[in-house]
Amino acid sequence: MSQNTTKPSPASPPWGLFAGVVAVFALWFAWFELIHRVGMQQIPADVAKLGQLGDSFAPLNTLFTGLAFGVVFWAGWLQRQDLALQKRALDAQETELQETRKVMARQTFESAFFQMLRVTRELHAAIRVGHEMGAEAVSTLARDCSPHLSDAPGTAAGPGVENLRDEVARRFERDIYARAHGTLGPYFRSLYHVFRFIDDQIAAKVLDELEARRYANIARAHLSAQDLILLGGNCCSARGAGFRKNVERFGLLKHYDDETSEAVARRCYAASAFETVEETSVPR
């Protein structure tokens, strides 16, 4: 973003002062010539009178000293003004450069973000279970995952949340993840990096909090109800613990739509995981 800055004109040189100095010098020279010629025609008998004649120039010397000091002072002031103008110009250029960098950083982020989303969708389409692939394979895994999670101990009471997560993770690893780990693993890792990438842009000051939420909502819109069931089971494991933070931060389970396993899922995650990010303060 460019800014139009009008550079002030520097102060004009003191032509009047220069003209005054030249005029005084011309008058002094003319007067000196006159006195010199008169002195040559009437040489004083007493040499001391010549010294008195030289002393008569003392006021003129004082005048020239004062004028010289004034010229030096004026030159210093002009130099200071010029330095101030240069500093303002450099500050304007720095501001414009920062704005340009910010725009370029945003463009780079958006390009990388949508590229990552595309890769994630490709990995989703490559998920394979037997002869099923993509959304069909995910539906099969989610259907089989739901009852395994719903009867995990502690649905209403019993072990603490950590023990409940451990049990959910154990069942998910054994009965679901092991069946498609070759394709399910890359999909979850890619999805994790999408939301981590958004989160990193806040620290880098490329996005503010509200903008980060909007991009998170765009990515979340690509997750089906079946994806969320698998995501909920995966992030209970030690492997998905890092992803769980962003699941809760960006409300990724908001559209979790499975009555069979929802009670367990809500015990495994903070309430923010099931709320839209505009309705809650996003935890850091």
Side-chain angles (χ1 to χ4, degrees):
M1 182 183 295
S2 61
Q3 296 181 350
N4 294 326
T5 56
T6 303
K7 183 176 180 181
S9 301
S12 302
W15 299 116
L17 180 61
F18 296 154
V21 171
V22 172
V24 172
F25 182 79
L27 290 175
W28 171 81
F29 183 78
W31 183 75
F32 179 79
E33 281 293 316
L34 178 62
I35 294 299
H36 178 70
R37 291 179 180 180
V38 171
M40 292 297 294
Q41 295 175 0
Q42 301 177 0
I43 300 176
D46 193 345
V47 179
K49 292 183 179 181
L50 292 177
Q52 295 175 357
L53 181 63
D55 291 340
S56 65
F57 292 98
L60 189 62
N61 292 335
T62 303
L63 175 62
F64 274 100
T65 301
L67 291 174
F69 176 78
V71 171
V72 171
F73 177 81
W74 182 265
W77 186 82
L78 287 179
Q79 185 177 23
R80 181 179 178 183
Q81 291 293 102
D82 187 61
L83 290 175
L85 291 175
Q86 292 180 16
K87 185 178 182 302
R88 284 197 290 269
L90 290 174
D91 290 343
Q93 291 176 4
E94 179 65 22
T95 300
E96 185 175 354
L97 181 60
Q98 291 177 356
E99 291 295 327
T100 302
R101 287 175 177 172
K102 186 175 181 180
V103 171
M104 293 180 62
R106 174 66 66 85
Q107 292 175 345
T108 300
F109 161 74
E110 289 185 348
S111 176
F113 171 73
F114 288 108
Q115 177 70 10
M116 292 171 73
L117 277 185
R118 185 183 66 80
V119 171
T120 301
R121 296 307 302 167
E122 291 175 355
L123 291 172
H124 184 275
I127 295 175
R128 187 183 191 93
V129 178
H131 297 291
E132 298 176 339
M133 293 189 66
E136 187 177 6
V138 170
S139 296
T140 297
L141 291 173
R143 184 179 64 248
D144 296 342
C145 180
S146 181
H148 286 298
L149 301 185
S150 63
D151 62 356
T155 301
V161 64
E162 292 299 328
N163 292 334
L164 178 59
R165 284 201 194 109
D166 291 342
E167 178 62 20
V168 169
R170 186 183 68 81
R171 296 186 180 202
F172 181 81
E173 293 276 350
R174 180 193 64 197
D175 302 323
I176 305 300
Y177 189 79
R179 294 165 57 187
H181 65 88
T183 54
L184 201 56
Y187 168 67
F188 281 134
R189 287 191 291 272
S190 178
L191 192 62
Y192 160 71
H193 283 291
V194 168
F195 290 97
R196 179 179 175 179
F197 185 51
I198 296 173
D199 193 33
D200 289 344
Q201 303 313 302
I202 299 177
K205 300 186 182 304
V206 175
L207 302 177
D208 59 28
E209 191 71 38
L210 181 59
E211 291 169 333
R213 295 177 185 184
R214 289 172 180 167
Y215 284 103
N217 286 343
I218 292 174
R220 186 183 64 181
H222 288 74
L223 302 176
S224 67
Q226 291 74 30
D227 293 325
L228 297 183
I229 295 174
L230 299 182
L231 181 63
N234 179 75
C235 291
C236 284
S237 66
R239 182 185 56 254
F243 197 176
R244 185 167 63 245
K245 181 192 76 169
N246 281 331
V247 168
E248 296 173 342
R249 170 169 170 70
F250 293 115
L252 300 189
L253 301 183
K254 178 182 185 296
H255 300 293
Y256 196 98
D257 187 20
D258 184 70
E259 297 180 359
T260 305
S261 60
E262 185 174 1
V264 173
R266 286 189 175 274
R267 288 202 60 201
C268 291
Y269 294 90
S272 59
F274 299 88
E275 299 172 356
T276 182
V277 291
E278 287 83 8
E279 296 174 354
T280 182
S281 58
V282 179
R284 295 305 303 266

